[in-house]
Amino acid sequence: MKISFKLNSELVTVDVDPLQPLLTTLRDELHMQAAKQGCGEGECGSCSVIMNNLMVNTCLIPTIQAKGAALVTLEGLRDTPKGQLVINALLEAKGVQCGFCTPSMVLALYHLLDNRTYADITPTDKQIRQALAGNLCRCTGYGMIVEAAKIAAKLWGEV
Amino acid sequence: MDRVNIPFKWQEATGRSQFISDRHFDNLLEAKLFRSTCARAKILNITLPKLPSGYFVFGAKDVPGRNELPIVLSDWPVFASSEVRYLGEVILLLVGPDLKELDRLAKLIHVEYQQLTPAFTPQDSKQLIQGAIHNQDAIDDLKNVFDRHKLNKGDLAAGFSQAEHIFEESISTGYQEHMYLETQGMVGYHKDGKVVIEGSMQCPWYVHHCISTVLGSEDVRVIQTPTGGAFGGKEDYPDVLAGALCVAVQRLKQPIRLVLSRNEDIAFTTKRHPINFHYRTGVDSQGKIVAMDVKVDINAGAYLSLSGIVLQRAITTCTNVYDIPNATVEATAWATNTVPSGAFRGFGSPQTCFGIETHLNHIANKLGLDAAEFKRAHLLTTKSKTLTGADIFGDLVLEKMYAEICESSDYHAKVQAYRQQDRGANKLSGIGMALFQHGCGFAGDLEDTLVKAVVRLVKDDNDEIEIQVSNTDIGQGLSLTFCKIVADTLKRPLSSVRLAAVDTQHVPDSGPTVASRSIVIVGYLLEKAAEKLTDIWLGCTAQSVEQRYSKPDYHQWDQQAFKGNAYQATSYGINVVELEVDSATGVSEITGLWAIYDVGHVIDEAVFKGQIDGGFVQALGYGGLEVMTLDSEGRFQQTNMADYVIPTALDVPKIHSSVVDNPYQYGPQGAKGGGELTHNGGAAAYCAAIECAINHPINAIPVTPEVVCSLLYGKKSGLESMTQEEQGHENQL
């Protein structure tokens, strides 16, 4: 079945089983491999992308559900100024260890910072931790990812 | 494949890092392992379905070399042929173009079993029902025993004769699943006359040796791909995948991918060893421990794997950071019909730390003493002898660390306050401390007698330096720390040094990435190699140097007598956990975390901070969240990441950590090992904090809300002394 949606601001059309997980479509058909399969059951968040401005687990979403939607993956974000800001903040805070969960962490931090009511106020630890709670990391203990959010928040208005 | 990893972690952060599932291979076939469905049985017959064109099945009869995985002992077969010893043991490998078709074919394979009564715990194993699983021909006392050791320090009987009080109790720890975010996986192919395996792994030379054994050929090559976490879980188990895969690759000469699903990874890969401890401790009238007798029973699972080494570390660290004048330890690794237990960050030490810290807390409470001060009164000093009779090497800074963490966490005032809190309140507060240590590098003299590590530095005519070692960056940051060691020693810019991709065709065998030996052993060799290169440096000229391990003079070990320096060096730490328990639900919220460490000298503070935070949080999961239990058939009841829960960002607060500088003479820039150390104390400190909050002794981890409620409102005795398997059974009732 032909399904069209916006991927990183470009219209794409795929011809796949409509119930195929969106993650499979992104990785195998569209070669967007920054999203990873960690559990395949919506628990770890390694496969998350931003869909219609929501963080979603693509391993749980049938591709048909993306019809007409706007998707942002790390491939679409990493070359933008704000995407780079988040990536640099994460590297500065040394919040990347094995790196398997990192693409989803970049998106989660970006999504948090991009959707603040008051963009000039740095989110609290609790707000950051809530924003990251759907994305598991087994390496870092999260502290340095939280620090990355604060580093990026402070520079957000400058880019 | 990219051979450079600078700037540090840039590829990972931009999503460009290609893990094994991200890599492209032309004409790729898929593979699936066909596994045993019972825990202990003789295989009477295997019936295969008719295979469609392009589909293949491989088993024991197809192995050209030896049908064994050479992990310490060669008892673990690549493919089971006459018997199975655990549920999930590999019997066959299916290969073909479509994974769904492989699934369909797997369902059509019929194995006829003669089932035998399995043993799932050391207690079961001792009973030898329907004969021994392992060592059938040995005398009764050694049947089902993979390994056994006894340590003795001082005179136990004389010690007990001075005792005024004797405390005796059992303490147990359960399984822990590594839960690295990337599951185990590899791809094999044929290139330039060699079978090549690429994949997610810690120790490429182990895999190299494994496939060479299985194929009976040296025409093999192994390449580590970016590895999405390991924590010990990718030390032994990659051999299981590679052993089966290489047989198919050699036959079909086509790329084949074998990646485990999360369910398969949880169900069948190695776990942290469950251990049962029994302590008998004598304390004199002055409140001094005069004797301690410890029995240790380790559930090794179906094959030896690394259990002998885990056993050795568990016993040599059994009295932790304390000077106990008279002590014996007797420890046994038992064969059972469960998934083989394997390496996991800490390698037996988190278990022994939980055991002794909890036992000492209980003694102090019964004597009406402050637990932390009771422990402080027994700390090792530079005049102490270790449990294995060695002198303490270097300066000990335990007292300083203790003073610092008590002050930063306000430990004593909080203990006083929480002791007097209203026990009927909705929220109960608690604080707990654990002291711990970790031997750096391999136990005993294996580094000298077995590993014989070699490192190489290769400089090109642009004065760019490549580090060639077999140690892998699995998230712990070696790709930066190794480069820093070499760049600093050479006084060259960091950007001129790079770490070679770990490919057994290019890098020498500098040993495995285990036991936190990467810094203290391999890092030190790199520092020496860089000094050597400095001495012969010729600008704009290609040069290379090699450096081999030789042990420091003070390091002496007698493997027969089990006496001497159990480790080349030892690192130390103290953790404090503060929490609030909801007295209605038993759920606890961690409100404060403090940590202090002596790892010699820290090479990169941010990289070590990553290890501190990650190790502590993983240990808190081990202590409070991560339940793994077996059902009556020997199958783990937790099957996915929804029912085996690991900490999220919301489960922990910021960790207040610090380090003391206490340089070690034989470490690079004075560094000792740190990666495993950070997992050793968290579970013990967490349990102590819960005990403080609810005023009940606890004898097993994980301390889940169910356990807390049971202690507060359930049977007043019983559950706290249960092993985890028994708790799992209790939870089912």
Side-chain angles (χ1 to χ4, degrees):
Chain A
M1 180 180 175
K2 287 192 174 170
I3 301 166
S4 300
F5 50 88
K6 257 192 183 170
L7 176 65
N8 299 323
S9 306
E10 281 185 25
L11 187 68
V12 295
T13 302
V14 290
D15 189 0
V16 298
D17 175 349
L19 295 180
Q20 172 170 292
L22 180 56
L23 178 63
T24 310
T25 305
L26 287 173
R27 286 178 59 87
D28 296 355
E29 309 288 326
L30 298 162
H31 310 295
M32 297 287 129
Q33 291 190 316
K36 311 294 179 196
Q37 175 152 326
C39 67
E41 294 176 327
E43 290 294 330
C44 74
S46 300
C47 65
S48 53
V49 305
I50 299 170
M51 181 162 121
N52 292 340
N53 203 31
L54 290 173
M55 282 286 284
V56 297
N57 289 325
T58 54
C59 71
L60 285 185
I61 294 180
T63 305
I64 186 70
Q65 213 169 311
K67 186 181 174 187
L71 270 62
V72 180
T73 69
L74 185 57
E75 286 88 347
L77 198 67
R78 66 188 174 202
D79 295 326
T80 67
K82 283 198 161 59
Q84 283 174 2
L85 173 67
V86 173
I87 287 166
N88 289 337
L90 207 50
L91 291 175
E92 185 187 333
K94 291 222 167 65
V96 183
Q97 289 193 16
C98 83
F100 195 80
C101 73
T102 306
S104 72
M105 289 292 179
V106 173
L107 291 172
L109 292 179
Y110 173 85
H111 183 257
L112 164 74
L113 297 173
D114 197 40
N115 285 280
R116 282 174 294 164
T117 311
Y118 301 103
D120 56 338
I121 297 177
T122 299
T124 62
D125 274 29
K126 189 158 190 192
Q127 286 169 330
I128 299 167
R129 286 179 182 275
Q130 276 171 339
L132 296 176
N135 296 86
L136 297 179
C137 171
R138 190 60 153 168
C139 295
T140 64
Y142 305 105
M144 290 145 104
I145 303 177
V146 173
E147 287 308 307
K150 293 180 188 171
I151 294 169
K154 285 188 184 129
L155 301 171
W156 196 257
E158 294 173 21
V159 294
Chain B
M1 175 160 189
D2 303 304
R3 300 181 65 79
V4 186
N5 192 16
I6 288 176
F8 183 57
K9 302 291 178 186
W10 180 82
Q11 288 196 313
E12 287 82 354
T14 54
R16 289 181 170 91
S17 194
Q18 287 209 311
F19 296 88
I20 192 67
S21 296
D22 303 328
R23 304 177 95 76
H24 174 79
F25 298 87
D26 287 329
N27 303 315
L28 184 67
L29 297 176
E30 302 286 351
K32 180 184 171 62
L33 293 165
F34 178 85
R35 298 169 180 276
S36 146
T37 53
C38 50
R40 185 182 182 191
K42 292 192 186 307
I43 296 175
L44 302 178
N45 190 32
I46 302 175
T47 313
L48 298 178
K50 185 170 162 32
L51 296 171
S53 168
Y55 286 83
F56 306 89
V57 173
F58 299 90
K61 65 178 177 11
D62 301 302
V63 173
R66 298 212 298 269
N67 183 30
E68 58 193 42
L69 305 172
I71 314 168
V72 186
L73 270 190
S74 292
D75 60 334
W76 190 344
V78 179
F79 298 105
S81 55
S82 58
E83 60 162 2
V84 290
R85 290 192 187 181
Y86 71 96
L87 195 151
E89 184 163 357
V90 173
I91 301 174
L92 301 166
L93 180 79
L94 290 92
V95 178
D98 183 45
L99 209 45
K100 281 186 185 154
E101 178 65 7
L102 294 179
D103 285 338
R104 189 187 73 83
L105 291 172
K107 289 193 182 90
L108 300 176
I109 297 172
H110 179 70
V111 180
E112 192 184 337
Y113 295 109
Q114 179 193 338
Q115 296 211 25
L116 297 167
T117 306
F120 297 136
T121 63
Q123 294 89 318
D124 294 346
S125 181
K126 288 174 197 174
Q127 292 176 31
L128 302 172
I129 295 168
Q130 289 191 290
I133 305 158
H134 167 81
N135 258 355
Q136 289 96 335
D137 301 329
I139 56 165
D140 270 4
D141 201 34
L142 289 176
K143 284 191 164 99
N144 274 354
V145 170
F146 275 129
D147 208 350
R148 178 172 283 161
H149 283 297
K150 195 167 182 179
L151 290 186
N152 187 57
K153 181 185 174 188
D155 183 337
L156 194 73
F160 272 117
S161 71
Q162 300 164 35
E164 184 159 307
H165 310 277
I166 292 178
F167 300 92
E168 193 164 355
E169 68 177 328
S170 294
I171 289 177
S172 71
T173 64
Y175 287 102
Q176 187 179 20
E177 157 63 21
H178 303 87
M179 208 56 96
Y180 28 70
L181 265 288
E182 182 204 28
T183 58
Q184 307 253 3
M186 43 188 65
V187 172
Y189 52 90
H190 211 260
K191 188 178 178 186
D192 301 332
K194 289 186 176 181
V195 169
V196 186
I197 297 280
E198 284 190 19
S200 186
M201 61 183 81
Q202 286 178 244
C203 310
W205 275 103
Y206 278 7
V207 176
H208 183 106
H209 182 47
C210 172
I211 61 176
S212 165
T213 303
V214 173
L215 296 178
S217 160
E218 285 301 319
D219 290 330
V220 300
R221 175 182 175 188
V222 176
I223 303 166
Q224 183 226 4
T225 50
T227 296
F231 316 111
K234 292 172 184 170
E235 178 182 353
D236 45 4
Y237 206 80
D239 279 10
V240 176
L241 274 69
L245 187 60
C246 70
V247 174
V249 171
Q250 196 197 41
R251 180 84 69 80
L252 301 178
K253 297 195 167 40
Q254 203 175 331
I256 308 172
R257 174 166 65 189
L258 176 57
V259 177
L260 301 191
S261 70
R262 178 60 65 182
N263 294 1
E264 196 177 8
D265 203 304
I266 292 176
F268 306 125
T269 62
T270 53
K271 314 289 171 215
R272 182 183 295 288
H273 289 75
I275 304 187
N276 297 328
F277 299 94
H278 188 81
Y279 294 92
R280 187 164 173 267
T281 302
V283 181
D284 71 10
S285 57
Q286 307 300 307
K288 271 277 184 189
I289 297 173
V290 286
M292 184 179 280
D293 183 18
V294 191
K295 300 274 189 297
V296 183
D297 288 311
I298 293 184
N299 187 341
Y303 295 103
L304 175 69
S305 183
L306 301 158
S307 295
I309 301 165
V310 169
L311 180 91
Q312 189 164 340
R313 189 176 283 276
I315 60 173
T316 51
T317 62
C318 217
T319 50
N320 202 14
V321 294
Y322 307 111
D323 191 345
I324 313 288
N326 307 293
T328 62
V329 182
E330 190 177 347
T332 307
W334 294 95
T336 61
N337 296 106
T338 61
V339 166
S341 304
F344 199 141
R345 195 177 199 165
F347 235 83
S349 291
Q351 292 96 313
T352 51
C353 177
F354 171 71
I356 188 152
E357 288 298 289
T358 305
H359 179 53
L360 294 191
N361 289 344
H362 295 172
I363 292 176
N365 288 340
K366 283 185 177 164
L367 291 172
L369 301 172
D370 177 89
E373 288 297 318
F374 176 63
K375 290 175 186 176
R376 184 189 172 196
H378 291 89
L379 286 179
L380 292 166
T381 70
T382 46
K383 294 190 181 109
S384 304
K385 292 271 187 197
T386 68
L387 184 57
T388 51
D391 293 329
I392 301 287
F393 184 79
D395 286 335
L396 273 176
V397 288
L398 284 164
E399 284 276 358
K400 178 180 159 69
M401 291 161 66
Y402 176 79
E404 276 191 34
I405 203 164
C406 284
E407 189 183 344
S408 62
S409 64
D410 200 13
Y411 179 80
H412 287 293
K414 285 173 180 169
V415 167
Q416 286 299 325
Y418 298 157
R419 224 175 248 161
Q420 287 156 20
Q421 70 187 311
D422 173 9
R423 298 287 171 189
N426 292 338
K427 298 274 187 189
L428 298 168
S429 298
I431 190 164
M433 179 189 287
L435 299 92
F436 49 94
Q437 48 81 60
H438 200 80
C440 306
F442 272 122
D445 60 358
L446 285 176
E447 197 67 50
D448 193 41
T449 56
L450 183 73
V451 185
K452 300 180 191 298
V454 182
V455 307
R456 191 186 299 138
L457 294 178
V458 179
K459 177 166 81 77
D460 65 17
D461 50 16
N462 289 320
D463 292 344
E464 303 263 320
I465 298 117
E466 182 169 273
I467 297 170
Q468 296 184 353
V469 293
S470 58
N471 301 89
T472 51
D473 190 331
I474 47 180
Q476 83 286 46
L478 280 188
S479 52
L480 179 63
T481 37
F482 276 176
C483 290
K484 279 185 96 164
I485 291 167
V486 171
D488 289 354
T489 310
L490 290 170
K491 299 187 174 58
R492 304 287 301 172
L494 188 60
S495 58
S496 68
V497 182
R498 63 178 185 263
L499 184 65
V502 184
D503 174 342
T504 58
Q505 188 153 294
H506 293 295
V507 302
D509 188 353
S510 57
T513 311
V514 300
S516 291
R517 61 180 287 282
S518 300
I519 293 296
V520 78
I521 303 291
V522 182
Y524 187 62
L525 292 182
L526 286 173
E527 189 175 74
K528 294 287 131 194
E531 286 169 4
K532 210 188 255 184
L533 184 58
T534 305
D535 291 343
I536 60 163
W537 185 278
L538 292 171
C540 300
T541 306
Q543 290 177 287
S544 77
V545 292
E546 283 195 348
Q547 183 73 34
R548 284 172 186 277
Y549 177 83
S550 67
K551 69 174 183 175
D553 291 341
Y554 70 87
H555 186 267
Q556 300 297 330
W557 177 254
D558 180 340
Q559 181 67 25
Q560 294 309 313
F562 241 68
K563 286 280 179 200
N565 301 96
Y567 301 94
Q568 185 179 311
T570 304
S571 295
Y572 300 90
I574 308 177
N575 287 168
V576 170
V577 175
E578 187 180 16
L579 47 74
E580 266 187 359
V581 179
D582 183 315
S583 57
T585 62
V587 174
S588 61
E589 182 185 354
I590 297 171
T591 54
L593 295 171
W594 293 266
I596 188 164
Y597 300 94
D598 162 19
V599 291
H601 173 77
V602 175
I603 293 170
D604 185 290
E605 285 192 11
V607 166
F608 187 54
K609 175 68 177 159
Q611 293 297 294
I612 292 172
D613 286 7
F616 202 169
V617 171
Q618 200 168 43
L620 291 167
Y622 180 47
L625 283 177
E626 299 180 25
V627 180
M628 186 154 249
T629 44
L630 290 165
D631 70 9
S632 59
E633 292 178 16
R635 183 182 289 106
F636 289 118
Q637 291 174 304
Q638 295 71 26
T639 60
N640 55 42
M641 290 180 81
D643 55 17
Y644 185 89
V645 181
I646 64 169
T648 73
L650 275 177
D651 292 318
V652 283
K654 179 184 171 73
I655 296 168
H656 304 275
S657 60
S658 61
V659 293
V660 290
D661 201 49
N662 181 26
Y664 165 59
Q665 189 182 338
Y666 296 97
Q669 301 179 11
K672 297 187 283 189
E676 287 177 290
L677 175 77
T678 58
H679 192 303
N680 284 1
Y686 179 83
C687 178
I690 299 263
E691 286 185 337
C692 172
I694 67 173
N695 200 28
H696 275 283
I698 296 170
N699 288 48
I701 43 172
V703 189
T704 59
E706 290 83 354
V707 171
V708 172
C709 283
S710 194
L711 291 169
L712 285 173
Y713 308 112
K715 290 173 281 185
K716 287 294 181 195
S717 62
L719 190 63
E720 73 270 29
S721 306
M722 284 185 184
T723 63
Q724 206 181 25
E725 289 89 343
E726 289 163 345
Q727 283 184 31
H729 181 62
E730 185 80 6
N731 291 339
Q732 287 176 69
L733 298 177

